[in-house]
Amino acid sequence: MDPLEERQLKPIYAALETNSLKSALQHCNKLLKKRPNWDVVKALKALALQRGLKTDEASALCDEILKNKPSDESTLLALNLTLRPLGRHQDIVTLYDDAFKRHPDNEEIGAQAFLAMIKVRSWKTAQQVGLKLWKTVKHDRYLYWYLMSVTQQAADPETPDAMRKVLLNVAARYLATADVPSWVATDRFYLHISVLLGLDDVETARQLMKSQKGEELCRNSLALEQTRAELAQKVSDWEGERRRARGKIEQGDFNWTIYLALLDSTFVAPPSVNGQAVPPDGEAEKKPDAMEELPPVPERVSEAQAVFSKLVASVGRKERAPSLGLLELEKRVRAQQIASGSPALVDQMTVYLEKFSEKPCCFDDLKPYVEALDEKELVKWTDHLRSWTPDVTTLQALETTMNIQKLLRYRQTIEGDLAPEKEAEQAFAYLKLYRDALPLGKDLRPVELQPADDFSFLAAQALIGAWSLDHQLKYLLQAVCVLEYGLQKSEKAYPLRLLLICLYRLLGASSLCLEHYRATNVRTVQHDTLSWLVLNRATTFSTCASGDISYLTECLEASAIYADNWTETGEMITKAFQYEKYSQIPDFLNFEELIENSLQRDLIRIEHLRMTLTHELLNNVEMLGIPQEIQDLELNLQRKSNPDNRDFSIIPNLQPLGQDILRQTELGPQSKVAWVNVFSKIYLRSLRGLSNVHIAPESFTSSIEGSEEFTKAERAVITLSDDLLEWLAPIAALPAERDSKAANGHSNSTESGSKTLFETEPTKEVALEASKRVTQFFDDQWAEMQKLVEVDALPWEILHIASIALEGFVLVDLVTYPFKVPSGRAKKGDPVFQSVKTVRQHAVDALRKFSDELTRLSHDCGSKPLADFEALCAPLVKDAEFKPDFVHRVGKKLFESRKKMMEGMAKGIVRRCT
Amino acid sequence: MSVLRPFRATDLFRFNNINLDPWTETYSISFYLSYLSRWPDMCYVQEAPNGRLMGYVLGKAEGGGQEFHGHVTAITVSPQYRRLGLARGMMRLIEQISDEVYHAFFVDLFVRCQNKIAKNMYQGLGYSVWRRIIGYYGTGMGGGKDDEDAFDMRKPLSRDAARRSVRANGELVHVSAHNVT
C-alpha cells in the first residue's frame, strides 16, 4: 500500500479504534465515492456496519468483496474481523485459502491462512496449508504445525475412523523420515508421541520414551512424565511403574502423583490365568514379554508399608506425604479386605492428627478417611477428638483446636446433634473461641487475615444450619451479624464476604450484595467463575425500571471476559504455534471453547435481557437492540455444549456430612442448561413476534416437567408464555395488511392476501380461553404474594414473585404490542382484539397491587423492624460480647438496603406498566 | 504432600481460592496464556488430593549473555495451605528447569521489602538480595516504603560458577522501577 493510501485510511482506523462508527462510515463513504471498488475501504466499511449491528448490510458488503478474492493483508484482516462475529467462518477459511493459492511463496499469508483456519477449527485445510508451507519454506516448524492439525482432526469425533488412521499414518511417516529428530524440543517430542498414541502404536511410543533422549526429556517435563506413566499403564507395566515410583519415593520425591502411582500399582489386580495383567478399567492389553511379573498383593502392600513407614520415621512433621500414604494404603487395604497387620485406620488417623493438627489443611486431609470409618471406630474417633481441650492461646494451639472443631462438626449428624437449638449453641461456642483467639492477631494490619477467622465462619455456618432446620429468622440475622463482625476484624477474609453476599440476597439487601461483591475485586476470568454470586436470578433484585441500573451494569462488566477470550485466547493460540508449544494448544483450544460456550455467559445474557425489558418501554424499541438480542438468543440455543465453569467450591462447606452451605443459602434451585434453553426460547419467540416473525408453536410447560431447575414462579411464567402463544399466535401468524405498519417499526413486508381473523369459531374460543388463563396468571401470582407476606417469607421470595409478575407483564406487552392499535389483523370490536385490551388492563391493575404492597413493605423497614432485629440478635450482645451499637448498625444498613430495593421495585413496576 | 503438576489453561477456572487474596493479583487471560505459550515448563500448580488448587508458580527465562536467567514472576499459596513447604517445592523445580533446560546463570525473584517471612524463606533456599527496586509495587497496601519497594533476590545456578549473581550489601544498591523490566 502506498503512503498516500495509508494516509487516506488512517482516519478510518482511528475512528474504528475509538468505536466512532458513524465517523468511520462517513470516511469510508467519502473514499468510496472517488474509488467505488477499493476493497480495503469496503472491508472497513463492512466492519463498521457489523459493529453497528447492521449485520445484513455488513454481510452483503462482504459478499461483494469476497467475489474479488482479495489477497492484500489489510483487506484480509478487516474481512476476517467482520466475518468472524457474523459467524461466517467458512468464508474466512476460503478467503485465506484463495489468497495463499495466489501467493504460494508468501510465508506470511500462508502462516496467516493456517492460523485463520485454526481459529475456525478447519483442521483439514490447515493440514494442507501447513504441509505446503513446510515444503515451500523448508522450515521444520511447519511440519509440526501440520502434525498438530492432524492430531486435532484425528481427535475430532466427526472424523471417520478410516480417515483418522490414514491421516495419522502419513503423519507418522513424515516424522520417521524427518531430517531433524523430534527430541530436539520437548514439545515436538510430545507431539510425536501424540501422533503415535493416536495410532495406538504404544510400543514405538514407549521405545521413544525409554530412549536416552526420551528419559532426559521426561526428567525435566512433568507433562511428558505423565504421558510416560500413562503409556506404561496402557501396556499394564504395573511392576515397572511400581518400582519406578518406589525408587523415586525412597529418593525423597514427595509429589503425591508418585505416591498414587505406587498405591495404584500396589493394588492393581494380579495377573489372570493366561498370564495377562488386568488393568483397573478391565481392558486387557497385550503384555510384552520383557515386562516383569507383579508380586502378590500382600507382598506389595508390605513393601509399600515399609517404604512409607521408613520415611515417616525420617521426615517427622516436615512432610505429610508418607503419613498420608499410610492412611491411603490402609483405606485401600480395607476396601479390598486384605489382611495387612497394620494398626486400625482410626488409630493411624489419631497419629496423623497428633502430628499435623497444627496445619490448617489437616481437616481436609483427614476428611476422606473419616468417611471410611465404621460406627464403632467413629465413636472411638469422636471420643478422641472430644478428649482434646480447646486451647487458643497460641497460634499452634488455635490451628489444632480449629481442626478438631471442624472434624467434630463434620460427623455431627451421626450423633443426632442437628436440632436447631444445638446448632445455635454450637455457634456460640465457636464464637467464644473466636473472641478468645482474636488477641492472637491484634497486631496484624487490616489487610492481613486474622488467624481466628474460621471460627467466625464456623459460627455463621452453624447458625445457617439452625435456620435451615426450623426457618427461624433470628438465626439468619445472627449469622449476618457474625459475618459482618468477622469482616470488620479481617476485611480480606473472602469466604466470610462471599457467604454474607448469599445471606444478603436471601434477605433482599441487594445493594449490599453488590457492595460486598465489588469489594472482592473480581477480575477477568473470575467474572465467568464467580459472577453467579450476584447475577444468577439477578432480575429478582433489578430495580432497573426505576432507573437504578447497577445490576445491568454488572452484567455488562461480567460479560466483557467473553469478548476478551475471543481475542486474547485466539492470539495466544497463535503464539503457542509461533513458539512451538504444542503441548499447550489442545488446552488453549479447549479453554477458548469453555469460555465461549460458558453456561454462565448465557445465564448473564438472559438476566440482562430480562432486566432490559423491564427497563425500556417498547415504544423505545430501538433502544432494545432486538436484532442483536435475537442473534444472541439463537447462539444460546445453537451451542453443542454449555460447560458450567462456575466455581461453587469457593465458599468452603463446613457443615456436617450430608449438608451443603451452598444449597442452604441459594435462591431457588440451581439454573443450568434447561433453564437457559427455556428462557432463551421464550424471549426468542416473544421478540420475533414483535418483529412479525413467527415460528412453529412449542409448549415449554411440558418440556420442563421433569426438570428441577425452576422455581414455582418461573414455571408459572413459562406456562404464561405458552398461553400467550395459544391466545394470540393464530392472529399474529396472519399476514398484516400491506398498508399497516406495525407500530413497533419492525414490520416485515407481507406477501399474501388478507385472511379472516380465525379460520373457525372453535379456534377463537380456544384463544379466548387462553386469554383467561393469561389473566389468571396475574391473579395467581398476587395470591402467592399475599400468602408469602402473610407467612413472613424471606424478602427474596417476595421480590421473586413480584419480579416474575413484572416479567409476565413484559411478556404480555411484547406479545400484545402489535395489537394495541386496531389493524387488519385485529379489528376493533372483534372479541379477540377486545381481549387484548382486557388482559392488558387486568395485568396493569394486578401489577399496581404488587407495587402498592412492595411500597407498604418498604415502610416496614423502619425503626420497628430494626428494634425487632436488635431483639433477635440480642443473644450476640449478651453471650458473645457484640456491642449493641454494632448490631444496630448492621441492622440499619440491612433495612436501608432492603427499603431501597422494595421501593425501587415498587416504583419500577408502576413506571413499566403505565 | 500435594500433586505438583504443570499449570494448565483450565486452572484459571479453579484458582479463585488462591487469587482472592490481597497479595495475589488476577491478570488478563493473555497474561497467563502468554507464559504458558512460551514457558510452559516454568509454570506449575500444587494440587491437594481432593483436587483443590493450593498454589502456583509462573516463571520465565529471559535476559541476554551472562544476564540470562530464570525469573519467578508469581508464586502464591492459598492461606489454607501455607507452612507446608509448597513454595519450596515449586521453587526447586523452577531452579532445576532454569539450570538443566535453559542453562541459565541464575534464578531471580522480586519480593516486597516488608515481607520478611518470604525474604527469610528465600534466603533459606539460597537466594540473596541483589538490589532494591524503588517503587516496584506502586502505592502498596499502606505499609510505607518497605511495602512499595522490592528486593531483587538471586540464586546462582551451576553455570554461574564464579557466583557473579551474588554480592554483598545488595540491599544498598538501589534502582528505580522504571529501569527494571
Side-chain angles (χ1 to χ4, degrees):
Chain A
M1 196 180 292
D2 68 40
L4 174 68
E5 286 182 343
E6 261 179 42
R7 261 206 312 279
Q8 286 176 307
L9 296 181
K10 216 174 161 186
I12 309 178
Y13 283 114
L16 284 169
E17 189 81 15
T18 53
N19 217 24
S20 313
L21 303 177
K22 209 172 158 189
S23 158
L25 283 174
Q26 280 169 351
H27 284 297
C28 289
N29 288 335
K30 212 165 113 190
L31 291 177
L32 288 171
K33 239 182 196 171
K34 290 182 200 154
R35 202 172 139 189
N37 287 321
W38 194 356
D39 276 346
V40 66
V41 180
K42 278 163 111 176
L44 291 170
K45 182 178 173 181
L47 181 58
L49 287 168
Q50 185 280 322
R51 288 196 182 162
L53 300 176
K54 294 185 173 158
T55 49
D56 291 345
E57 284 179 63
S59 210
L61 198 51
C62 286
D63 287 335
E64 267 183 46
I65 314 163
L66 286 168
K67 274 185 204 152
N68 299 339
K69 300 197 172 191
S71 57
D72 70 284
E73 287 170 31
S74 311
T75 311
L76 292 177
L77 180 65
L79 269 179
N80 189 4
L81 291 173
T82 314
L83 290 168
R84 216 186 291 165
L86 294 173
R88 295 179 56 178
H89 303 309
Q90 198 48 48
D91 286 325
I92 303 174
V93 172
T94 315
L95 176 72
Y96 276 101
D97 207 16
D98 287 344
F100 187 47
K101 278 178 189 148
R102 291 170 68 178
H103 301 281
D105 51 348
N106 186 329
E107 184 182 352
E108 180 58 27
I109 289 190
Q112 287 305 324
F114 178 89
L115 295 170
M117 288 160 185
I118 296 303
K119 179 77 191 163
V120 298
R121 317 289 196 255
S122 177
W123 308 118
K124 203 173 154 188
T125 51
Q127 283 165 48
Q128 291 158 1
V129 172
L131 211 50
K132 211 187 281 177
L133 267 170
W134 179 47
K135 289 183 175 167
T136 320
V137 186
K138 307 273 182 225
H139 191 306
D140 280 339
R141 179 202 305 152
Y142 298 119
L143 168 65
Y144 286 89
W145 283 24
Y146 152 75
L147 292 169
M148 189 73 230
S149 42
V150 167
T151 56
Q152 286 306 306
Q153 194 185 344
D156 187 339
E158 285 176 19
T159 305
D161 202 38
M163 170 66 80
R164 195 177 62 80
K165 280 187 182 144
V166 170
L167 289 170
L168 290 167
N169 268 317
V170 175
R173 268 207 301 279
Y174 276 121
L175 273 165
T177 54
D179 295 336
V180 182
S182 62
W183 50 253
V184 297
T186 309
D187 277 71
R188 286 188 181 183
F189 189 74
Y190 174 89
L191 191 49
H192 190 163
I193 298 287
S194 302
V195 170
L196 294 171
L197 283 181
L199 282 168
D200 273 334
D201 186 359
V202 180
E203 267 319 296
T204 314
R206 289 247 299 164
Q207 278 167 19
L208 279 176
M209 283 287 197
K210 281 181 166 176
S211 67
Q212 190 199 339
K213 291 290 177 190
E215 287 276 350
E216 272 173 28
L217 291 177
C218 281
R219 193 183 122 67
N220 284 318
S221 166
L222 286 180
L224 269 184
E225 170 58 27
Q226 194 184 332
T227 311
R228 192 208 55 73
E230 283 164 9
L231 273 171
Q233 289 181 16
K234 240 181 161 32
V235 295
S236 302
D237 182 13
W238 293 102
E239 181 57 7
E241 282 307 279
R242 196 174 74 90
R243 283 168 183 266
R244 191 180 176 100
R246 197 181 62 194
K248 282 190 163 190
I249 291 171
E250 283 173 338
Q251 283 161 24
D253 191 333
F254 296 109
N255 193 340
W256 188 240
T257 313
I258 308 293
Y259 277 70
L260 286 177
L262 180 58
L263 286 158
D264 290 345
S265 53
T266 295
F267 290 96
V268 75
S272 60
V273 185
N274 60 7
Q276 289 184 341
V278 183
D281 59 6
E283 272 180 47
E285 297 273 344
K286 196 182 166 213
K287 195 181 137 206
D289 296 336
M291 282 187 309
E292 296 167 85
E293 289 293 332
L294 276 166
V297 175
E299 195 179 309
R300 283 180 264 157
V301 168
S302 304
E303 274 186 40
Q305 213 164 27
V307 171
F308 295 156
S309 302
K310 196 174 159 198
L311 276 168
V312 165
S314 64
V315 296
R317 289 166 197 252
K318 276 189 191 157
E319 277 292 342
R320 289 143 53 240
S323 297
L324 212 69
L326 280 176
L327 284 180
E328 185 63 30
L329 188 78
E330 186 57 25
K331 189 180 156 200
R332 294 187 189 200
V333 158
R334 283 169 62 128
Q336 297 207 7
Q337 296 178 323
I338 301 166
S340 71
S342 52
L345 182 61
V346 65
D347 295 329
Q348 295 199 38
M349 286 166 64
T350 307
V351 172
Y352 189 90
L353 180 66
E354 272 163 26
K355 204 176 258 180
F356 299 108
S357 66
E358 291 170 7
K359 306 285 185 193
C361 62
C362 185
F363 167 61
D364 272 342
D365 287 347
L366 285 172
K367 254 166 101 173
Y369 308 105
V370 175
E371 282 168 33
L373 296 177
D374 61 30
E375 242 171 79
K376 210 171 130 197
E377 285 175 311
L378 197 60
V379 171
K380 191 173 176 190
W381 173 245
T382 310
D383 284 348
H384 177 70
L385 294 177
R386 289 197 194 286
S387 71
W388 291 56
T389 311
D391 176 8
V392 291
T393 50
T394 64
L395 282 174
Q396 292 77 10
L398 176 143
E399 291 298 353
T400 298
T401 304
M402 190 87 78
N403 278 314
I404 300 284
Q405 292 303 322
K406 286 180 184 174
L407 285 164
L408 273 169
R409 180 164 180 74
Y410 187 52
R411 290 310 297 259
Q412 219 164 14
T413 33
I414 301 299
E415 301 184 356
D417 273 356
L418 282 179
E421 298 76 21
K422 288 230 171 180
E423 279 284 69
E425 196 182 298
Q426 196 61 62
F428 279 82
Y430 296 139
L431 277 179
K432 165 95 174 61
L433 288 168
Y434 175 67
R435 293 198 56 85
D436 290 348
L438 272 179
L440 289 172
K442 67 179 180 355
D443 296 328
L444 293 172
R445 286 189 293 161
V447 289
E448 303 280 1
L449 297 173
Q450 284 288 326
D453 282 342
D454 268 7
F455 281 127
S456 138
F457 199 48
L458 270 170
Q461 296 215 12
L463 286 165
I464 292 166
W467 168 74
S468 70
L469 288 168
D470 72 357
H471 294 101
Q472 281 198 62
L473 192 62
K474 66 176 179 183
Y475 296 130
L476 210 51
L477 301 179
Q478 287 172 9
V480 166
C481 285
V482 167
L483 293 169
E484 284 281 11
Y485 190 86
L487 279 172
Q488 189 183 263
K489 300 282 174 198
S490 185
E491 63 184 61
K492 302 289 180 188
Y494 78 84
L496 304 184
R497 200 177 289 284
L498 301 188
L499 185 55
L500 187 57
I501 291 172
C502 297
L503 299 192
Y504 277 145
R505 270 164 75 83
L506 291 171
L507 294 167
S510 58
S511 58
L512 290 178
C513 295
L514 271 189
E515 213 174 275
H516 281 285
Y517 180 68
R518 286 171 181 164
T520 55
N521 200 20
V522 162
R523 298 184 62 191
T524 71
V525 69
Q526 292 177 321
H527 284 294
D528 187 42
T529 51
L530 294 178
S531 62
W532 61 269
L533 278 158
V534 285
L535 292 184
N536 283 9
R537 292 205 168 87
T539 307
T540 309
F541 304 113
S542 165
T543 48
C544 278
S546 62
D548 170 12
I549 56 163
S550 46
Y551 273 88
L552 209 59
T553 312
E554 196 57 47
C555 284
L556 291 176
E557 281 174 19
S559 299
I561 187 63
Y562 303 109
D564 293 348
N565 170 52
W566 190 252
T567 50
E568 292 183 23
T569 310
E571 271 172 37
M572 290 303 135
I573 292 170
T574 302
K575 285 249 182 296
F577 270 102
Q578 286 163 346
Y579 291 122
E580 293 202 68
K581 297 299 181 224
Y582 303 109
S583 62
Q584 299 303 306
I585 291 168
D587 271 359
F588 284 16
L589 291 166
N590 179 34
F591 177 77
E592 187 181 50
E593 289 187 4
L594 286 172
I595 301 192
E596 175 66 14
N597 298 316
S598 164
L599 176 67
Q600 180 62 9
R601 175 189 202 168
D602 295 344
L603 286 167
I604 296 174
R605 194 175 263 168
I606 292 172
E607 289 303 328
H608 184 264
L609 178 59
R610 294 168 95 190
M611 288 188 227
T612 308
L613 288 169
T614 61
H615 175 45
E616 293 294 345
L617 302 181
L618 295 189
N619 53 16
N620 242 350
V621 80
E622 287 300 331
M623 295 293 290
L624 295 170
I626 285 174
Q628 182 66 43
E629 294 291 358
I630 289 179
Q631 198 179 318
D632 288 348
L633 291 170
E634 279 172 344
L635 270 177
N636 284 4
L637 295 167
Q638 282 164 10
R639 299 192 194 288
K640 284 185 190 157
S641 68
N642 225 180
D644 191 352
N645 306 326
R646 293 175 292 181
D647 181 1
F648 293 122
S649 69
I650 196 61
I651 301 178
N653 184 30
L654 296 179
Q655 297 296 45
L657 186 65
Q659 288 188 35
D660 183 356
I661 188 70
L662 210 65
R663 294 278 165 282
Q664 289 168 336
T665 52
E666 68 191 355
L667 309 185
Q670 226 168 61
S671 335
K672 293 179 191 161
V673 180
W675 197 98
V676 164
N677 282 346
V678 168
F679 276 93
S680 296
K681 284 181 185 171
I682 285 177
Y683 281 100
L684 196 55
R685 77 176 171 196
S686 304
L687 293 176
R688 276 182 173 154
L690 199 61
S691 307
N692 280 341
V693 178
H694 303 286
I695 42 177
E698 181 187 349
S699 164
F700 300 141
T701 309
S702 54
S703 74
I704 59 157
E705 258 167 23
S707 172
E708 290 174 354
E709 297 177 27
F710 303 88
T711 63
K712 190 179 160 196
E714 284 165 352
R715 285 178 186 280
V717 88
I718 290 164
T719 304
L720 171 76
S721 170
D722 284 345
D723 290 337
L724 282 169
L725 193 76
E726 201 168 327
W727 171 34
L728 290 175
I731 334 174
L734 284 176
E737 281 183 0
R738 273 172 214 281
D739 58 351
S740 74
K741 279 189 182 170
N744 61 28
H746 279 266
S747 70
N748 283 357
S749 62
T750 58
E751 284 158 16
S752 58
S754 63
K755 283 186 183 175
T756 50
L757 199 53
F758 284 98
E759 296 285 347
T760 59
E761 279 305 304
T763 321
K764 185 181 276 184
E765 286 308 311
V766 171
L768 289 171
E769 198 52 44
S771 79
K772 283 180 196 156
R773 291 202 299 276
V774 171
T775 46
Q776 189 61 43
F777 164 84
F778 293 98
D779 295 342
D780 290 348
Q781 298 314 305
W782 173 240
E784 188 68 23
M785 170 91 155
Q786 284 177 302
K787 210 162 81 189
L788 289 172
V789 171
E790 209 168 286
V791 298
D792 270 337
L794 283 177
W796 91 266
E797 296 176 273
I798 289 167
L799 291 164
H800 183 59
I801 293 288
S803 65
I804 287 283
L806 180 57
E807 182 169 33
F809 175 80
V810 167
L811 290 179
V812 168
D813 199 19
L814 284 169
V815 174
T816 59
Y817 198 77
F819 307 101
K820 275 175 84 176
V821 182
S823 71
R825 292 179 301 179
K827 290 194 173 62
K828 206 172 177 184
D830 183 277
V832 177
F833 175 68
Q834 286 299 322
S835 71
V836 170
K837 247 178 134 178
T838 314
V839 168
R840 285 186 69 99
Q841 193 52 51
H842 188 87
V844 170
D845 292 345
L847 262 302
R848 272 188 187 284
K849 286 193 275 187
F850 276 94
S851 174
D852 292 345
E853 185 61 19
L854 287 170
T855 308
R856 190 188 68 74
L857 289 170
S858 78
H859 295 148
D860 273 356
C861 299
S863 54
K864 164 80 173 68
L866 183 54
D868 291 346
F869 177 93
E870 288 168 305
L872 291 173
C873 295
L876 290 171
V877 176
K878 192 167 154 262
D879 301 322
E881 298 174 40
F882 279 40
K883 292 213 165 58
D885 183 44
F886 171 80
V887 173
H888 174 82
R889 270 186 285 129
V890 172
K892 194 160 178 265
K893 258 175 31 186
L894 168 65
F895 286 115
E896 274 172 3
S897 177
R898 186 190 296 170
K899 185 179 169 66
K900 202 172 135 199
M901 173 71 239
M902 299 274 185
E903 277 176 353
M905 189 167 277
K907 275 185 203 156
I909 287 174
V910 172
R911 187 180 164 270
R912 181 61 182 84
C913 295
T914 48
Chain B
M1 178 281 316
S2 59
V3 171
L4 178 58
R5 62 159 178 80
F7 193 124
R8 289 194 289 261
T10 44
D11 288 328
L12 300 186
F13 294 130
R14 303 168 54 223
F15 68 3
N16 294 318
N17 63 320
I18 303 168
N19 277 32
L20 289 182
D21 169 86
W23 308 107
T24 307
E25 190 76 30
T26 300
Y27 299 99
S28 65
I29 292 175
S30 294
F31 174 83
Y32 300 101
L33 299 199
S34 66
Y35 275 80
L36 293 177
S37 67
R38 200 159 174 191
W39 305 282
D41 49 1
M42 295 283 273
C43 305
Y44 298 95
V45 299
Q46 296 267 21
E47 191 179 65
N50 64 10
R52 208 166 159 81
L53 291 190
M54 306 162 97
Y56 61 84
V57 64
L58 298 172
K60 59 181 172 180
E62 61 179 3
Q66 293 197 341
E67 280 293 300
F68 184 61
H69 67 283
H71 175 71
V72 179
T73 304
I75 182 161
T76 175
V77 174
S78 164
Q80 193 190 349
Y81 302 110
R82 288 183 190 154
R83 295 189 294 116
L84 298 174
L86 297 184
R88 276 187 170 83
M90 293 191 280
M91 289 301 293
R92 260 201 301 267
L93 192 49
I94 291 285
E95 288 160 17
Q96 179 191 323
I97 302 295
S98 300
D99 196 25
E100 295 181 19
V101 176
Y102 291 97
H103 308 293
F105 287 87
F106 59 90
V107 173
D108 82 342
L109 53 88
F110 300 156
V111 61
R112 255 175 231 275
C113 297
Q114 192 175 50
N115 193 347
K116 291 197 175 65
I117 297 174
K119 189 183 157 210
N120 289 339
M121 182 189 84
Y122 294 126
Q123 277 172 338
L125 291 174
Y127 290 76
S128 59
V129 176
W130 176 255
R131 56 187 175 168
R132 182 178 177 123
I133 305 167
I134 308 300
Y136 181 76
Y137 290 105
T139 50
M141 301 282 247
K145 237 177 128 37
D146 280 352
D147 203 22
E148 296 167 13
D149 300 350
F151 283 135
D152 175 359
M153 298 184 77
R154 297 185 175 182
K155 176 178 181 174
L157 298 176
S158 59
R159 201 170 166 194
D160 182 17
R163 293 177 65 83
R164 284 199 179 90
S165 50
V166 180
R167 65 182 165 197
N169 302 323
E171 294 189 22
L172 304 176
V173 180
H174 290 191
V175 289
S176 158
H178 303 297
N179 300 327
V180 178
T181 52

